[in-house]
């Protein structure tokens, strides 16, 4: 927070730094290295925290009420009725904020007081981090944290390499490699030379880009390009490096770590947004009631009150005339009733909601069934405000690699010189299926071979040893064209640190086939080929990025310059030399075969010396582009494009990324729940489609997927429109058999899982769209077409998409559909999608933790998403909806008694209840039962929640809490208030005690109504409770007992309160207990009757499942009764596009021969509704049947649902 008197620095365009020159750098007023992430200090905490809390509309509203209550003229209530709950809320929130900020202060102090070795006046001194400034030179030792963003100058490792761990920065635990300029590396650890280092650095301004840096170093008249590989960022840790020196470029809040520590995007649930609308409606209703009492008060004062001033004198400031005096009193009464009736929206509502959300988040954190023991990773709710939103997800947007798949790559196949390798062959040369008995290739002769590496085609190893030139070039490319860093462990084992699993798998494959990558320097790459060492001069690396989709290296050996390139087929094919046309066609065929079994492929190409004759001139243009600070990326891409032409095709590699455990079952169950799943991946179309089939996102029952792959705006539009037309034709042309299904709504009952398939999805269509086509489809003119098509399909696959396109697809659905979206991914390329969706889920996988750090919920495996949504999400939504319905009901019942009482007290704003009862009603008497319900309640248990995914449907339809259910709850509350007021009124109006005195007065009547209210609403909460625990019993019945005990003690002579003796008199009266029994009966019996009718005559799926759950418990207690349930859900065994007959399992032969579902029966019954049944076949273990003929009986059990 900037102070008003603090001078604000102008925005930087570029940064100019001089090494070891503090005075020069000070003139620019760069940020020092002191950081502060805290919000408050001792002096500012109270005013600033209160200011923030009263920015919330609810708190400000209640503060305004408190101010009015202080005025005796306006309020008939003691200010304590609002002070107590408001102060409790403010104190609890302030304590929470103070604890959080104290943790931030402690963390800041710990960081600011870390020690670093800083070069000052030619000497290394120990200095605290907060004293470090831009231009300082810092020495880091092994395992030291990096104090600021540094330009690496030298290190202890050969070729000035250093290894860093970036876990605190991006969550990735694999080591990254940084390398100093050779010109500064010669300084080494000579302090004298380091003190004389006076280079000028021009760099980019501070920014949030972690993976990019652009700068230029000028020293001794020469300029050198600076990029991200030469910069070590704050928050990293130096590993496996004895020492290194760095020059501070960005410090403190200008460092990239701090620049990325911005505020998290605030997400609100659908219920929160609905609540805001409802609160406005309630406030208008409150104003209406106040207006009614105001008008009635004016009339009463004019007609009656004016003539009875002897008994009820007007205030001295009220005008003595009838009209003006009545109007003045009426205006004051309006404000008074605004105070009295404000409890229709009590402040405790917001506190209770937050408590329920917090505990439901803890249930997720503590769920052992979502704990992944292999990585010791539990599921975690990183936010506590979105739990119930998990029960309303309609669209899931999922990454593929690392999310649906394991992101552990294995080299499986290769296409080299028009030959395909990878499948084991029999004696006749035919491919064989790989089984456990299939012999593996023996790599034991290779001392660098990995035991975990498996390959089954012996031919490739034989051709590698036999001198096949194309195979040699293929593996030589794999061992040279990469950015992998080798590391030799203390035990002599060679290990690789790769930026991506794909690259690591390819280098490891080359290693196992005898092409071992041994070491690298800034200028050389050393490999060992079949035991012989080869050293290549590294002239240039043309690195990979998401736009280029390829990587190249230019190397030189024995005077021969060669460019090796690998990349995606979509960019390599268009850059091939014409001489490769035939090989391109064959390789393309092999790529399609690889894609059909879900493998990821890369093409390998080479350019020989003759095509690189202009390399010297090209190097000059490359140097100019790499040292510019304006549009460096675009200029370097253009230079790369010049040389990556006329490539000679060597072959292609195919690596496998296996599905995670449980992915097909999870996707199938989520689809049955009515959730639509869109997969957004960077893979090619064929790979994405086949992964879609293997994970059961696409099924054989679906129509053939629509393919959108055009290359122009007009063609994409035409494909989108044709797909929509085809869907409309198939839907409109579908024959209707005249059968009305069990639920009467045109829905189909699935006997296997008790699932109801909604009629508008009977087509089950799917669409696959390519990235280049998606670019056109996302244009404003076509986006609605794309959305209509996607909404008509059960599954959507977007392939070859960029991270930005992922976010745009999510935003398209968010913008135009009233649906809740969830995005799930595991990599940095999924962060934008995760942040864009209503709920983001991060998978802690092989690509680091960036997705997790940006997410709302995190987990280790995709399969846990099923439990997160169908169990925790559904329960959270159910609990929150029950809580809100009941809360509004009980508060309308409580508050409107004041309104009815106004007609009997001359609209004088006299309260019916004891002021302390008004304060404690929502805090102590009725809060705990509904809180415990909101924390523990469940309609069916976790197993049935997953077994019957259609139980998730009410959340999709927003059925449990909406404007309609809110109106029902408030209407029930209004009716309850009428019953609560008028039954005791009728019972006590003319009641006479044994002593001949009247038994009722204002205080006694208020005590009667309040006591019956507490009993009635707590019993009503008991009716809403579906899952009883010891806590439920304790708080429901305990709240009632506590109220009676407290009221007897508080109204006793020992306290000497205004209501002394009232409770004893009331509770000793027979009329009170009669009124209590009669009122509770009138209120509760209709609710019980309605629910009995609803459950038995028109039961929901939840009612049926709950009944089945109870019946199972009863049956399980009987030792004589054994019930077997055999699933009839047909499970697809498709591996690829298998034949129709072989893609199906045993059908409905027994069902047909039994005659249960024959059409003539439907005709005979004159087309009456057919109640579909669940069929369970029981095979009596092939025992001798009842007929005694030695043939087993197949007994079919028919059970109506």
């Amino acid at each position: 927070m900037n102070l008003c008197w603090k001078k604000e620095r102008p925005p930087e365009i570029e940064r100019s730094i001089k090494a070891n020159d503090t005075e020069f750098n000070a003139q620019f007023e760069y940020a020092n290295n002191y950081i502060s992430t805290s919000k408050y200090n001792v002096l500012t905490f109270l005013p600033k925290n209160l200011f923030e809390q009263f920015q919330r509309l609810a708190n400000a509203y209640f503060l305004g009420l408190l101010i009015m209550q202080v005025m005796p003229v306006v309020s008939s209530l003691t200010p304590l009725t609002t002070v107590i709950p408001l102060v409790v809320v403010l104190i609890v929130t302030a304590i929470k904020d103070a604890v959080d900020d104290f943790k931030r202060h402690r963390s800041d102090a710990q960081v600011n007081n870390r020690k670093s070795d800083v070069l000052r006046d030619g000497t290394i001194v120990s200095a605290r981090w907060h004293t470090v400034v831009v231009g300082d030179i810092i020495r880091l030792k092994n395992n030291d944290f990096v104090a600021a963003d540094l330009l690496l100058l030298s290190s202890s490792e050969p070729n000035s390499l250093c290894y860093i761990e970036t876990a605190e920065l991006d969550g990735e635990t694999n080591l990254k490699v940084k390398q100093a300029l050779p010109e500064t590396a010669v300084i080494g650890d000579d302090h004298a030379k380091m003190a004389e280092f006076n280079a000028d650095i021009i760099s980019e301004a501070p920014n949030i880009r972690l993976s990019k840096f652009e700068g230029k170093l000028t020293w001794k008249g020469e300029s050198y390009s600076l990029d991200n590989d030469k910069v070590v960022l704050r928050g990293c840790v130096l590993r496996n490096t004895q020492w290194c020196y760095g020059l501070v470029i960005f410090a403190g809040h200008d460092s990239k770590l701090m620049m990325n520590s911005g505020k998290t995007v605030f997400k609100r649930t659908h219920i929160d947004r609905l609540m805001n609308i409802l609160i406005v409606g309630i406030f208008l209703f409150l104003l209406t009631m106040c207006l009614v009492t105001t008008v009635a008060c004016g009339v009463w004062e004019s007609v009656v009150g004016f003539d009875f001033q002897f008994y009820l004198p007007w205030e001295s400031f009220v005008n003595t005339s009838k009209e003006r005096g009545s109007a003045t009193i009426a205006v004051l009464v309006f404000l008074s009733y605004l105070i009295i009736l404000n409890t229709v929206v009590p402040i405790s509502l917001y506190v209770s909601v937050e408590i329920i959300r917090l505990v439901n988040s803890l249930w997720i954190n503590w769920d052992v069934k979502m704990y992944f023991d292999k990585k010791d990773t539990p599921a975690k709710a990183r936010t506590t405000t979105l739990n119930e939103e998990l029960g309303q997800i309609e669209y899931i947007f999922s990454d593929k690699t690392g999310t649906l798949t394991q992101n552990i790559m294995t080299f499986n196949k290769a296409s080299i010189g028009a030959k395909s390798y990878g499948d084991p062959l029999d004696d006749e040369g035919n491919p064989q299926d790989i089984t456990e008995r299939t012999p593996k290739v023996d790599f034991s002769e290779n001392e660098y071979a990995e035991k975990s590496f498996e390959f089954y085609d012996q031919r490739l190893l034989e051709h590698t040893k036999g001198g096949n030139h194309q195979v040699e070039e293929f593996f030589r490319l794999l061992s040279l064209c990469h950015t992998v860093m080798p590391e030799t462990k203390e035990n002599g084992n060679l290990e690789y640190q790769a930026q991506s699993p794909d690259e690591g798998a390819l280098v490891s494959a080359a290693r196992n086939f005898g092409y071992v990558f041994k070491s690298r320097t800034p200028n050389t790459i050393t490999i060992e080929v079949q035991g012989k060492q080869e050293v290549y001069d590294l002239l240039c690396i043309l690195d990979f990025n998401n736009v280029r989709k390829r990587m190249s290296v230019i190397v030189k050996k024995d005077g021969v310059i060669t460019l090796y390139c690998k990349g995606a087929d979509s960019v390599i094919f268009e850059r091939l030399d014409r001489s490769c046309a035939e090989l391109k066609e064959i390789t393309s065929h092999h790529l399609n075969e690889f894609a059909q079994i879900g493998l990821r492929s890369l093409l390998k190409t080479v350019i020989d010396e003759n095509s690189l004759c202009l390399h010297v001139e090209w190097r000059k243009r490359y140097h100019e582009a790499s040292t510019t600070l304006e549009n460096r990326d675009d200029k370097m891409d253009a230079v790369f494009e010049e040389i990556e032409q006329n490539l000679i095709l060597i072959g292609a590699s195919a690596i496998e990324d296996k599905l995670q455990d449980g992915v097909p079952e999870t996707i199938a169950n989520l689809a049955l729940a009515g959730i639509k799943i869109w997969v957004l991946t960077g893979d090619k179309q064929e790979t994405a489609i086949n992964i879609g089939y293997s994970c059961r996102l696409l099924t054989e029952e679906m129509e053939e997927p629509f393919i959108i792959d055009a290359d122009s705006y007009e063609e994409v539009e035409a494909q989108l429109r044709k797909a929509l037309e085809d869907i409309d034709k198939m839907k409109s042309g579908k024959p209707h058999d005249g059968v009305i299904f069990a639920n009467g709504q045109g829905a189909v009952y699935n006997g296997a899982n008790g699932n109801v398939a909604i009629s508008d999805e009977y087509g089950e269509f799917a669409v696959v769209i390519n990235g280049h086509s998606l670019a056109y489809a996302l244009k404003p003119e076509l986006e609605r077409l794309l959305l209509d098509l996607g909404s008509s399909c059960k599954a959507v696959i977007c392939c070859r998409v960029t991270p930005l396109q992922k976010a745009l697809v999510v935003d398209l659905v968010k913008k135009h559909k009233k649906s809740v979206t969830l995005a799930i991914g595991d990599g940095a390329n999924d962060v934008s999608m995760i942040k864009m969706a209503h709920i983001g889920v991060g998978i802690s996988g092989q690509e680091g933790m960036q997705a997790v750090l940006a997410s709302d919920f995190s987990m280790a495996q995709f399969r846990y998403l099923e439990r997160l949504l169908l169990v925790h999400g559904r329960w959270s939504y159910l609990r929150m909806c029950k809580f809100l319905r009941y809360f509004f009901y009980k508060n309308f019942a409580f508050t409107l008694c004041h309104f009815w009482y106004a007609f009997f007290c001359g609209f004088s704003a006299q309260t019916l209840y004891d002021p302390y009862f008004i304060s404690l009603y929502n805090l102590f008497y009725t809060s705990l039962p509904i809180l415990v319900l909101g924390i523990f309640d469940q309609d069916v248990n976790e197993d049935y929640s997953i077994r019957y995914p259609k139980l998730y449907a009410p959340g999709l339809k927003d059925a449990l809490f909406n404007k309609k259910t809110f109106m029902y709850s408030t209407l029930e509350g209004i009716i309850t208030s009428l019953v609560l007021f008028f039954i005791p009124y009728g019972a006590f109006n003319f009641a006479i005690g044994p002593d001949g005195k009247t038994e009722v007065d204002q205080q006694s009547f208020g005590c009667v109504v309040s006591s019956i209210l507490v009993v009635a609403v707590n019993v009503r909460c008991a009716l809403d409770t579906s899952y009883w625990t010891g806590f439920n019993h304790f708080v429901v019945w305990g709240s009632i007992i506590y109220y009676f005990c407290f009221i007897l003690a508080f109204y006793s002579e020992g306290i000497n309160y205004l209501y002394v003796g009232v409770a004893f008199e009331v509770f000793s009266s027979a009329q009170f207990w009669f009124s209590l029994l009669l009122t509770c009966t009138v209120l509760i019996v209709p609710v019980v009757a309605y629910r009995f009718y609803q459950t038995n005559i028109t039961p929901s799926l939840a009612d049926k499942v709950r009944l089945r759950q109870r019946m199972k418990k009863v049956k399980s207690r009987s030792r004589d009764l054994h019930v077997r349930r055999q699933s009839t859900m047909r499970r697809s065994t498709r591996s690829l596009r298998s034949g129709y007959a072989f893609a199906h399992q045993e059908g409905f032969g027994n069902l047909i021969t039994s005659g249960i579902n024959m059409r003539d029966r439907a005709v005979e019954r004159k087309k009456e509704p057919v109640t579909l049944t669940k069929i369970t076949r029981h095979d009596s273990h092939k025992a001798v049947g009842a007929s005694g003929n030695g043939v087993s009986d197949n007994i079919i059990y028919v059970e109506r649902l």
Side-chain angles (χ1 to χ4, degrees), residues 113 332 358 379 382 449 461 572 577 606 641 688 743 849 859 869 897 939 964 969 1017 1020 1167:
N113 290 303
L332 295 176
L358 173 63
R382 297 173 54 84
L461 182 61
I572 296 295
D577 190 79
V606 65
E641 191 73 25
N743 62 356
M849 300 285 287
M859 59 185 66
L869 300 187
C897 289
D939 54 349
K964 184 178 179 180
S969 298
V1017 297
R1020 178 68 171 75
K1167 296 185 178 181

Side-chain angles (χ1 to χ4, degrees), residues 21 31 52 62 169 186 220 353 403 473 512 535 640 677 783 787 885 892 917-918 981-982 1037 1042-1043 1119 1175:
D21 194 337
E52 289 178 348
F62 287 105
L169 194 66
V186 297
K220 297 180 180 179
V353 166
T403 303
E473 280 292 280
N512 286 279
V535 180
F640 292 166
I677 301 173
E783 63 178 13
L787 183 63
R885 293 198 306 263
F892 269 77
F917 177 82
I918 296 174
F981 183 85
F982 285 104
W1037 316 123
Y1042 170 78
Y1043 166 78
R1119 297 182 179 179
I1175 310 301

Side-chain angles (χ1 to χ4, degrees), residues 398-405 502 544 546 549 567-571 599-602 657 679-689 691 769-772 774 797-803 805-806 826 829-830 833 847:
S398 175
D399 176 42
K400 184 188 77 69
T401 306
T403 303
L404 301 179
T405 58
D502 304 61
F544 175 91
N546 286 331
K549 296 183 180 179
D569 58 338
S570 58
V571 295
L599 301 183
R600 298 155 61 94
S601 55
L602 284 177
D657 188 6
V679 172
L680 313 177
T681 177
D683 282 331
K684 63 186 301 184
Q685 178 178 306
E686 293 81 2
T687 304
I689 291 175
I691 288 292
I769 181 167
N770 259 309
H772 52 265
L774 187 62
I797 298 177
C798 301
C799 50
R800 298 291 197 188
V801 295
T802 65
Q805 285 178 324
K806 290 183 178 183
D826 74 317
N829 59 335
D830 303 315
M833 170 177 75
E847 296 187 24

Side-chain angles (χ1 to χ4, degrees), residues 988-1003:
F988 280 89
N989 191 23
F990 301 106
I992 303 296
D995 55 0
K997 297 180 181 179
T998 179
E999 283 197 342
V1000 70
D1001 53 70
Q1002 188 270 333
Q1003 292 181 341

Side-chain angles (χ1 to χ4, degrees), residues 52-91:
E52 289 178 348
Q53 290 205 56
F54 284 119
Q55 282 184 316
R56 297 171 187 161
L57 185 61
N59 290 347
Y61 168 67
F62 287 105
L63 178 64
L65 291 177
L66 178 60
I67 293 172
M68 287 194 292
Q69 281 183 281
V70 175
M71 306 174 188
V73 177
V74 174
S75 178
S76 58
L77 276 177
T78 171
L80 290 175
T81 58
T82 301
V83 167
I84 293 175
L86 181 59
V87 168
V88 169
V89 170
L90 294 178
I91 290 177

Side-chain angles (χ1 to χ4, degrees), residues 302 306 309 314 318-328:
S302 299
F306 181 79
Q309 292 188 50
W314 287 0
V318 177
N319 196 293
T320 56
S321 69
K322 179 184 292 188
E323 292 77 10
R324 292 184 178 182
S326 299
T328 303

Side-chain angles (χ1 to χ4, degrees), residues 565-584:
C565 178
K566 65 180 181 183
D569 58 338
S570 58
V571 295
I572 296 295
F573 276 153
E574 61 190 26
R575 291 169 172 78
L576 290 180
D577 190 79
R578 293 181 180 178
S579 62
C580 300
E582 183 178 350
L583 180 57
K584 172 185 173 182

